[in-house]
Amino acid sequence: MNDWPEGFSGDNRGSRYGRGSSSAQPESARVMRQVRRGPAASPGQAGYGAPAYGGGVPPQPSYVDGGGHGGDGYDSGYNTGQVYGSPGGRGPGGPGDGLYEPRPAPNWRRRIKVTAITLVTLLVVTSVGTYFWADSKLNRDVDLSKVIDRPEAGEGTNYLIVGSDSRKGMSAEEKKKLHTGSAEGKRTDSMMILHTGGGAPTLISLPRDSNVTIPSFKGSDSGKLYPATGRQTKLNAAYAEDGPELLVRTVEANTGLHIDHYVEIGFAGFANIVDAVGGVEMNIPQDIKDTKSGADLKKGTQTLDGEQALAFVRTRYALRGSDLDRTKNQQKFLSALANQVATPGTVLNPFKLYPTMSAGLDTLVVDKDMSLFDLASMFWAMKGVSGGEGKSMNMPIAGNSPNGNLQWNTAKVKTLVNELKNDDPVTVSGN
């Protein structure tokens, strides 16, 4: 006895794929019967077991062509993968109903423009912030307006660069490590004039033992006028007597050259800058061992850290030319340091740039009119000297004066000053 409704008998299933079928043909052709809702069949009407269909259940399509298409033209759409009338099987509505519109292609030109604007804005904000941060750290303690009877300014810019033995802010351990001693007050170990202008820069060392005449001057703190007495002494004594203002006044009075800016750095600041840039490579011309400065260096090319660098620029007792040889070493090292600071590896690396700037700016003492642009110009000019684009020399020396100090060559100094005032190439040679 067959309990299956008509159309579901085992005979009707034939070779179709499904349960109990040995055929590999998929069952995709089978369709769901549609059931029309209507009045319930009354007893006596045809049911599932009857050969005819009652009013509530419409006749089911026959699978005449084996593809799921009946004689009445009904097509479920399953054969083509279409669901709910959606072409391509993409769901309700299909691509034409607006629910699944394709994404527009990315506008790369606009993205690049937005990215560029963002980067430029970030760069500007960072640069402006860095400028004001660095500008606020400069110690503008020197007032050149207190200097009296100044010579007229010439062409170009003249910087007086001073290395002092200031131990300000150094601990006892640092003083011992750097062999600075614990002397009170400040003296100057090195003095240089850097001239910049339309041509190549010129760096001139002023030996600390140079014989100079102390001119009339106004006290930097008291404002009292001290008349000239013709007193002659070493150049570094002017700094020890009344600080930067008297040193500038003495240099100007003995050379006739106008000093535009003043820059000073102490022991600790010098060593910190060197360490911040990762050391400075130098070619040491000879073995140097000096117990006073702490220098213990071998001949040859090597990278000096802050402690070694400070010992190198302070050494004079181990050198044949004493102070004159020391000034030459100071020039070489400061030029090499400026060259190291100005390299892309430092300038473009914030992890080096900011520590270097902080180490230098915290300990630099400059005049009240000094700007960051002036400071950058000074370092750039020193970098040029290191690269061979400029000239470095000592102030021309004629010999020793009667008091044992170094006497300048008056004629050569006059020619040198005139060339600097006119921003002409320097033809004078120093010792």
Side-chain angles (χ1 to χ4, degrees):
M1 177 179 179
N2 186 356
D3 294 331
W4 288 87
E6 184 175 329
F8 284 87
S9 67
D11 295 335
N12 287 340
R13 282 182 292 168
S15 60
R16 296 199 176 275
Y17 179 86
R19 187 176 60 183
S21 171
S22 61
S23 171
Q25 181 176 350
E27 207 173 7
S28 62
R30 297 181 60 179
V31 298
M32 296 178 62
R33 272 55 171 179
Q34 292 188 352
V35 179
R36 180 181 301 168
R37 296 186 180 276
S42 60
Q45 288 183 321
Y48 280 113
Y53 290 88
V57 180
Q60 301 302 307
S62 63
Y63 299 89
V64 177
D65 59 359
H69 301 283
D72 59 355
Y74 176 80
D75 183 6
S76 69
Y78 274 67
N79 287 339
T80 59
Q82 299 175 6
V83 181
Y84 300 111
S86 170
R90 294 189 54 189
D97 69 353
L99 296 178
Y100 293 92
E101 292 295 333
R103 290 185 178 182
N107 189 337
W108 289 108
R109 180 177 297 179
R110 182 177 180 276
R111 290 187 180 184
I112 294 174
K113 182 179 179 180
V114 171
T115 301
I117 292 175
T118 302
L119 292 177
V120 170
T121 302
L122 181 62
L123 180 61
V124 170
V125 171
T126 302
S127 299
V128 171
T130 299
Y131 177 87
F132 283 105
W133 167 77
D135 188 74
S136 67
K137 295 178 76 69
L138 276 178
N139 300 305
R140 296 183 173 91
D141 298 336
V142 179
D143 189 357
L144 296 183
S145 67
K146 296 179 180 179
V147 181
I148 63 174
D149 300 334
R150 308 191 67 185
E152 292 184 4
E155 300 293 330
T157 303
N158 299 311
Y159 299 85
L160 181 60
I161 304 172
V162 174
S164 75
D165 65 357
S166 172
R167 299 159 178 83
K168 183 179 179 181
M170 295 177 64
S171 64
E173 183 179 351
E174 288 174 327
K175 292 176 183 177
K176 182 179 179 180
K177 177 182 177 183
L178 298 177
H179 301 272
T180 64
S182 300
E184 297 296 329
K186 292 196 304 182
R187 284 157 292 278
T188 174
D189 272 2
S190 60
M191 292 157 284
M192 304 178 189
I193 294 175
L194 175 66
H195 174 82
T196 64
T202 302
L203 185 62
I204 307 162
S205 287
L206 309 176
R208 58 176 286 177
D209 293 339
S210 296
N211 190 60
V212 295
T213 300
I214 300 296
S216 60
F217 68 96
K218 183 183 291 187
S220 58
D221 292 328
S222 66
K224 179 182 177 180
L225 182 63
Y226 294 89
T229 61
R231 175 167 57 99
Q232 294 186 339
T233 185
K234 295 179 180 180
L235 180 59
N236 66 336
Y239 179 92
E241 185 173 334
D242 197 45
E245 288 84 2
L246 179 54
L247 178 61
V248 171
R249 167 71 176 132
T250 302
V251 169
E252 289 186 340
N254 283 266
T255 63
L257 186 67
H258 181 90
I259 300 299
D260 297 288
H261 292 295
Y262 177 91
V263 181
E264 176 187 328
I265 187 168
F267 283 162
F270 181 84
N272 289 340
I273 292 176
V274 175
D275 286 334
V277 298
V280 177
E281 186 178 275
M282 285 290 298
N283 184 13
I284 308 300
Q286 66 181 71
D287 290 347
I288 299 176
K289 190 171 182 63
D290 185 356
T291 56
K292 290 186 177 295
S293 68
D296 188 6
L297 305 171
K298 299 297 181 181
K299 179 180 179 180
T301 301
Q302 54 199 282
T303 299
L304 305 183
D305 61 19
E307 179 183 350
Q308 294 170 321
L310 183 59
F312 175 69
V313 299
R314 294 180 61 214
T315 295
R316 64 169 175 163
Y317 294 104
L319 304 177
R320 180 178 300 178
S322 188
D323 200 39
L324 292 178
D325 282 350
R326 177 170 70 168
T327 57
K328 294 177 182 178
N329 287 341
Q330 290 170 347
Q331 288 179 347
K332 293 177 182 177
F333 186 86
L334 289 178
S335 296
L337 174 60
N339 185 68
Q340 178 73 18
V341 171
T343 59
T346 299
V347 176
L348 300 180
N349 184 351
F351 297 102
K352 272 193 175 183
L353 177 62
Y354 285 98
T356 301
M357 292 179 65
S358 181
L361 296 174
D362 278 341
T363 55
L364 280 180
V365 177
V366 299
D367 64 271
K368 293 185 179 299
D369 295 326
M370 174 75 83
S371 70
L372 284 178
F373 293 107
D374 295 323
L375 195 61
S377 177
M378 183 194 79
F379 272 99
W380 192 260
M382 293 185 69
K383 180 179 183 294
V385 173
S386 174
E389 300 173 3
K391 181 174 184 177
S392 60
M393 57 181 288
N394 276 329
M395 186 65 82
I397 303 296
N400 292 330
S401 62
N403 59 8
N405 299 330
L406 295 174
Q407 186 66 51
W408 292 350
N409 186 315
T410 306
K412 286 188 175 183
V413 170
K414 184 177 180 180
T415 301
L416 172 63
V417 170
N418 286 334
E419 291 173 342
L420 295 177
K421 280 185 174 183
N422 298 321
D423 199 23
D424 293 331
V426 173
T427 60
V428 178
S429 61
N431 297 76

